[in-house]
Amino acid sequence: MARRVPLRRSLLVRLLSISVLIALLSIGSTAWLVFRSTTLAIEQERGDVLADDMGIQDALTGYAARHRDWKGVSRSVRQLAEKTGRRITLTTRERRVIADSGSGQSGLPARASAVIDPLNTPADAGGGTGWETSRIDPRAVGPYLLPAQERQHLERLARDRATCLSGIGLRAQVAVRAGGRPYVLTSPSASVARGLSEQVCPAAALAEPTRTEAGALEELGTLVAGCARRRGVTAYDDGLVPLADFVVPFKGTPDEIETVENCVEEARGDQLAGYVAPPALLFVAASSGPATPVFDLSPINTARIVGVTGLVLALTVAVTTVIAVRLVRPLRALAEAAHDPSGQHVRVPVTTRPAIWPPPSTTCPNGGNASRSCARPWSATSRTSCGHR
């Protein structure tokens, strides 16, 4: 009886193994590509949405800093909605609608996207003094807004100083703050030559408060003095007046200096409260309603993905098995006939048409031709005529 081919060496097992491996690699690479592309798309979309939200919040904060109330904000809200494709709703703290870019009633989420308050914005983490570290939006200027005449005078001083700095080899340019006060920006390397620049191009005249600023700063100094007294800073001089950059020239212990700086912030908020719009709640959503995730790997969706992957793998194995069996069956029949112990010519009919037709001719060592023992329908002899004629 012919020996059976070991399972590990079976052509059918090898074909199935290769097919399953190819299927797994294909499924895995496709899943990885889909996952990566989806992840990148989600990250890009989230970045765009975050940028839009920050832009909306900044624009409305600027509006609140420049206006005493929210009258007329509806136009700005509609323009922002058209630009970003989002639905924007602005309400009071009691959730009474101030402006809404959408039409029809829409329930507000439990949590607002942001609070619009120009007197309480995220502090700058970059450090600095005075207005540089203030939580008050720099566009909220209130009584510090310069008239045209004072602005032109300061601009002339700023241009002269920038020209002077350029003459000693320092890069300088003039910038203007929201209140109209100009200042000179220098390159980082200018810090090395700061002493020389102050001697050759003094900034004292430019830093001097104008008449408008002097009146507002005097009022601010009174508010700071009252705050300092309430907080126990007995060494504070009530006659101190903050400088144009809202820094108080106070000398004391570190704790006292920190207390005075907090008093300056509080006093500025009290001084500007009547010049800015009251705090409001901002709600931002997709135009058609609440935003929904574009890709959700919930347990249900994960189970669906695994199920589809298993189905594809099962179909691959089934199709490969059918094809491999039809290919292996005639080859196995030929092998068993060739190993027949009787040594007789055994005709093995093959019901399927093989990929190789007609069977290849085999030249015997003695010059005979083994193909003469094969006839249609295709059959095989147990041994070729090479040794049994």
Side-chain angles (χ1 to χ4, degrees):
M1 189 174 187
R3 291 182 303 168
R4 303 289 296 179
V5 178
L7 188 62
R8 66 178 185 277
R9 299 178 60 185
S10 172
L11 180 59
L12 176 60
V13 173
R14 294 182 180 182
L15 289 175
L16 283 175
S17 302
I18 294 175
S19 177
V20 171
L21 179 60
I22 294 174
L24 290 175
L25 292 176
S26 300
I27 294 173
S29 59
T30 303
W32 182 83
L33 289 175
V34 171
F35 175 78
R36 286 295 302 164
S37 60
T38 304
T39 302
L40 292 176
I42 292 175
E43 291 177 352
Q44 182 177 358
E45 182 176 352
R46 287 178 177 174
D48 294 340
V49 170
L50 181 60
D52 289 342
D53 291 351
M54 295 298 294
I56 293 171
Q57 181 178 350
D58 181 71
L60 293 177
T61 301
Y63 183 95
R66 295 187 296 267
H67 297 80
R68 295 175 182 266
D69 52 43
W70 292 107
K71 294 179 181 179
V73 74
S74 297
R75 180 180 179 183
S76 298
V77 168
R78 288 194 299 269
Q79 290 175 347
L80 289 171
E82 292 174 357
K83 180 181 178 180
T84 61
R86 315 291 297 281
R87 179 168 183 171
I88 304 172
T89 305
L90 197 66
T91 72
T92 64
R93 287 190 178 274
E94 295 75 24
R95 297 193 171 224
R96 290 194 299 268
V97 176
I98 298 174
D100 190 354
S101 64
S103 57
Q105 297 294 330
S106 176
L108 296 175
R111 184 177 180 181
S113 302
V115 177
I116 305 299
D117 185 1
L119 301 182
N120 188 21
T121 62
D124 185 5
T129 59
W131 60 270
E132 295 177 342
T133 59
S134 175
R135 297 180 68 90
I136 298 175
D137 192 281
R139 291 166 291 189
V141 293
Y144 299 92
L145 181 63
L146 299 180
Q149 184 177 0
E150 294 180 356
R151 187 178 305 182
Q152 292 171 1
H153 172 68
L154 292 178
E155 287 177 352
R156 184 171 60 254
L157 293 177
R159 287 195 300 269
D160 292 343
R161 185 164 192 267
T163 302
C164 178
L165 292 173
S166 300
I168 61 175
L170 298 177
R171 296 175 56 185
Q173 60 180 0
V174 178
V176 182
R177 297 194 178 102
R181 166 170 279 276
Y183 61 101
V184 178
L185 284 174
T186 56
S187 60
S189 61
S191 59
V192 179
R194 188 175 300 278
L196 176 62
S197 65
E198 290 297 331
Q199 293 177 4
V200 179
C201 310
L206 183 60
E208 189 70 20
T210 65
R211 180 179 301 179
T212 300
E213 292 174 328
L217 289 172
E218 185 176 352
E219 178 188 359
L220 179 64
T222 302
L223 295 174
V224 172
C227 174
R229 285 195 304 270
R230 291 192 302 270
R231 299 191 180 187
V233 184
T234 57
Y236 188 83
D237 184 0
D238 292 350
L240 289 178
V241 177
L243 303 178
D245 56 357
F246 306 116
V247 175
V248 178
F250 170 73
K251 303 297 182 181
T253 65
D255 290 341
E256 290 177 338
I257 293 176
E258 183 179 359
T259 300
V260 170
E261 290 177 351
N262 293 334
C263 283
V264 172
E265 184 78 1
E266 180 182 321
R268 286 190 63 207
D270 295 339
Q271 187 181 34
L272 295 173
Y275 294 89
V276 300
L281 301 181
L282 174 64
F283 298 90
V284 181
S287 299
S288 57
T292 55
V294 296
F295 189 73
D296 181 16
L297 275 180
S298 62
I300 296 178
N301 288 339
T302 302
R304 290 176 180 172
I305 294 174
V306 173
V308 172
T309 303
L311 179 61
V312 172
L313 185 60
L315 289 176
T316 302
V317 172
V319 173
T320 304
T321 301
V322 172
I323 296 175
V325 167
R326 291 176 61 86
L327 174 64
V328 171
R329 184 182 293 124
L331 296 178
R332 181 174 295 170
L334 289 174
E336 292 178 353
H339 290 84
D340 186 88
S342 64
Q344 301 296 322
H345 295 282
V346 180
R347 297 179 63 84
V348 180
V350 179
T351 58
T352 58
R353 183 181 181 88
I356 303 175
W357 181 264
S361 298
T362 302
T363 303
C364 301
N366 58 4
N369 195 325
S371 65
R372 287 183 291 179
S373 61
C374 302
R376 293 178 185 270
W378 189 47
S379 61
T381 58
S382 60
R383 300 171 187 260
T384 61
S385 304
C386 298
H388 302 282
R389 287 195 174 180

